[in-house]
Amino acid sequence: MLLVITSVFCFTSCSNEEDVYIPQEVEFTLDYTFIESGSMTRATGADVYNEFYEKYIKTKQLTPATYSLTFTNQETGATATINGRWDKKDGIRLPEGTYNVTGTSTPIEREYKEWSDSVYIVFNETVSIKKDDTQLTLSAIYDSFLLMLDTENTTNVSCKCDGLSSSKEKLSHNDKQFWVFMQNTYRNNQKNYWYYLVVTRKDGEASNIKLLDIPFEKGKYYYFNDMTNSFDIPKMESGN
C-alpha cells in the first residue's frame, strides 16, 4: 500500500511540474500607428488639413525619429526602458506576457521645446506579447496641437516668445500653408513667457497673434484663413 501511495504521489508531482509553463523570450521590432479618432486624425470636410495629413503625417514625414518606451510586466512588475529610432528595426527581446507600455516620441530637443515642425506623440496602452510575435505595433496619441496658416496673402510667419528678444524663429511652410505643432503656448510652464505668431503680409504689414488665451486642445488642428476685410459706412446725419 505504501508503495502504491508513493507511486501515485510521484506521478502527480511529475505531472504538475510538466504542466508549469515557463514564458519564453520574444524578439520583435517596433512600429506605431495613429489612433483612429480625434480631430487631427479624422478631418471631415477639412480639405486643407486632410491633404496635409495624407502627405506629411500618415507617411511619417513630420513625425519624430526617436522614441523612449517603458515596458512594465503586469504579472511580475519588472520594467524595461527602451530608447531607439523608428527607422532602425533593431530587435527587442522581452519575456512573453502582458505589458503596460508608456513613453514618448518627440522631435529633436531644441531651445524652444514647446513647439516644432514635427508632431509630438505619447504612448499609454496594454499589450500582449506572445512567443510567435515578430513585430509590435503601438497606438500613438497626439501630444500637441497643430496651427496652420494660409500662404495666399502671407510671405512669412514666425513664432516669438514675449520677453525673449532672440526667440523669433520662422515656421516651416510649403506653397499652401505655414504650420507649427505646439505642446504649450508659454515657455517652461511660465505664463510670463508666452508665445505669439508674427504674420507678415505681402504688402509688408505685420500682425501679431497672441496664443496664450486661446483654448487650444492637444490632438486638434486650427486653421487660420484670411477673411475678406470690409466695413459699412452709414450715412451722416445732418448737422443742426
Side-chain angles (χ1 to χ4, degrees):
M1 179 62 72
L2 180 59
L3 180 61
V4 173
I5 294 174
T6 303
S7 299
V8 172
F9 178 77
C10 290
F11 178 79
T12 304
S13 299
C14 292
S15 298
N16 288 339
E17 289 179 359
E18 291 175 358
D19 291 338
V20 175
Y21 180 76
I22 300 176
Q24 301 180 39
E25 282 198 334
V26 183
E27 185 172 353
F28 56 91
T29 59
L30 285 174
D31 199 358
Y32 68 93
T33 185
F34 288 99
I35 295 176
E36 290 295 326
S37 63
S39 297
M40 274 214 285
T41 302
R42 296 179 185 271
T44 305
D47 295 337
V48 173
Y49 172 75
N50 196 44
E51 181 180 347
F52 183 87
Y53 173 81
E54 292 290 332
K55 184 175 182 179
Y56 295 113
I57 300 179
K58 188 175 181 179
T59 60
K60 299 181 180 178
Q61 290 189 45
L62 295 180
T63 55
T66 62
Y67 60 83
S68 178
L69 299 171
T70 298
F71 289 75
T72 303
N73 189 293
Q74 284 190 344
E75 182 179 355
T76 66
T79 63
T81 298
I82 301 169
N83 299 304
R85 294 180 57 91
W86 296 112
D87 59 348
K88 303 293 184 182
K89 299 304 181 183
D90 299 326
I92 298 170
R93 187 179 291 273
L94 290 174
E96 288 180 281
T98 301
Y99 290 84
N100 296 325
V101 184
T102 59
T104 61
S105 183
T106 60
I108 296 174
E109 186 72 17
R110 49 198 294 280
E111 183 179 1
Y112 307 107
K113 60 183 179 181
E114 292 86 2
W115 61 272
S116 174
D117 64 345
S118 300
V119 68
Y120 298 76
I121 52 182
V122 295
F123 300 90
N124 187 3
E125 64 179 306
T126 300
V127 300
S128 180
I129 299 176
K130 301 180 178 63
K131 64 180 182 180
D132 295 327
D133 291 339
T134 58
Q135 183 177 26
L136 177 63
T137 300
L138 301 173
S139 298
I141 304 170
Y142 289 107
D143 194 36
S144 55
F145 54 87
L146 170 63
L147 305 183
M148 306 175 71
L149 295 94
D150 188 81
T151 61
E152 184 175 354
N153 191 37
T154 302
T155 59
N156 180 63
V157 181
S158 299
C159 187
K160 185 171 173 55
C161 183
D162 185 66
L164 298 175
S165 59
S166 62
S167 70
K168 188 175 181 180
E169 292 187 24
K170 294 181 179 180
L171 301 192
S172 297
H173 66 92
N174 54 27
D175 60 342
K176 293 184 178 181
Q177 60 267 141
F178 295 87
W179 71 84
V180 58
F181 294 92
M182 301 194 75
Q183 286 189 300
N184 216 331
T185 56
Y186 45 89
R187 187 170 185 258
N188 295 335
N189 293 320
Q190 301 180 47
K191 291 190 176 181
N192 291 332
Y193 296 95
W194 42 267
Y195 292 112
Y196 62 94
L197 300 181
V198 180
V199 182
T200 304
R201 303 296 188 182
K202 290 183 177 179
D203 60 7
E205 295 293 331
S207 302
N208 294 339
I209 302 176
K210 181 180 178 181
L211 303 176
L212 181 62
D213 298 323
I214 303 177
F216 297 117
E217 295 182 39
K218 291 181 178 180
K220 294 187 177 181
Y221 71 92
Y222 301 85
Y223 183 56
F224 293 78
N225 192 13
D226 285 340
M227 298 174 63
T228 300
N229 295 318
S230 185
F231 56 92
D232 293 326
I233 302 178
K235 292 181 179 179
M236 292 183 178
E237 297 180 1
S238 62
N240 292 329

